[in-house]
Amino acid sequence: MMPLAAKTVAISSIDVPALVLNIARGIPAIEADDPEEAEEIANAIAFKRRMIEQAGGAFDAEAVRKLLGHKTVQAVYKAARDHRLLMVEDNGAKLFPALQFDGNSVRPAIPRVLAAAPTVSGWALLQYLVSGDEGLGDVRPIDLIKEDEASIERVVRFAQRLND
């Protein structure tokens, strides 16, 4: 089963060779002689797929470039390095979870959350955004970042705790 993000990348291919390449990249490969290790790898892949799905999918850098109107893909990667965009890496693919976009712009809360947890991996931040924190109760950060300033401040405050 191909992850949603990989399907999105494959569908946006510009020609047949690119489509075939993107489909091949999207099919997870598990190579392990140890059945327990293979199971761990399969569980990690499934967990990442669930997080991407809960985030509303993901875009590749070219799609983000078009969405935000950047001139180059390098500008998209620079925004990620500068903690202005959330990026996760999956088996060599650099993906940008859809939850951070509102139309053709980045939600204002995203750079603030990234700045609050600068040493935390993209996957850990994504997990926090889609799963939440006990201190936030049943409300997920992904929902709070769409609300008022007080809600965004709560998300940022709890994101700071991820550095610990």
Side-chain angles (χ1 to χ4, degrees):
M1 183 125 198
M2 191 178 212
L4 179 60
K7 288 180 187 175
T8 304
V9 169
I11 290 169
S12 67
S13 299
I14 58 172
D15 57 20
V16 174
L19 174 67
V20 172
L21 178 63
N22 287 328
I23 288 172
R25 284 182 178 155
I27 299 171
I30 300 174
E31 290 186 29
D33 294 331
D34 179 9
E36 288 180 20
E37 182 182 354
E39 184 177 352
E40 286 177 20
I41 293 169
N43 288 340
I45 290 168
F47 182 71
K48 287 179 177 180
R49 282 184 187 164
R50 283 193 307 273
M51 282 197 298
I52 291 291
E53 287 173 8
Q54 290 174 350
F59 301 106
D60 67 2
E62 177 61 22
V64 173
R65 183 197 68 76
K66 290 177 184 175
L67 180 75
L68 299 179
H70 289 310
K71 292 186 181 200
T72 65
V73 170
Q74 288 76 17
V76 174
Y77 292 131
K78 182 175 182 344
R81 279 192 313 273
D82 293 346
H83 303 289
R84 292 180 283 130
L85 282 175
L86 174 60
M87 180 179 77
V88 295
E89 294 191 45
D90 188 24
N91 201 23
K94 293 173 173 41
L95 303 172
F96 298 83
L99 64 84
Q100 65 190 312
F101 302 106
D102 184 14
N104 290 348
S105 64
V106 178
R107 293 189 183 282
I110 295 301
R112 291 172 59 188
V113 168
L114 294 171
T119 61
V120 177
S121 76
W123 283 110
L125 280 167
L126 181 59
Q127 182 179 3
Y128 162 69
L129 289 167
V130 300
S131 301
D133 185 283
E134 287 181 14
L136 293 172
D138 292 336
V139 184
R140 301 178 312 157
I142 189 176
D143 300 320
L144 290 173
I145 64 172
K146 300 172 187 173
E147 295 184 9
D148 60 3
E149 180 60 31
S151 298
I152 292 171
E153 186 55 39
R154 283 181 64 202
V155 172
V156 171
R157 195 170 52 249
F158 278 91
Q160 289 172 331
R161 295 174 46 197
L162 298 173
N163 285 315
D164 297 338

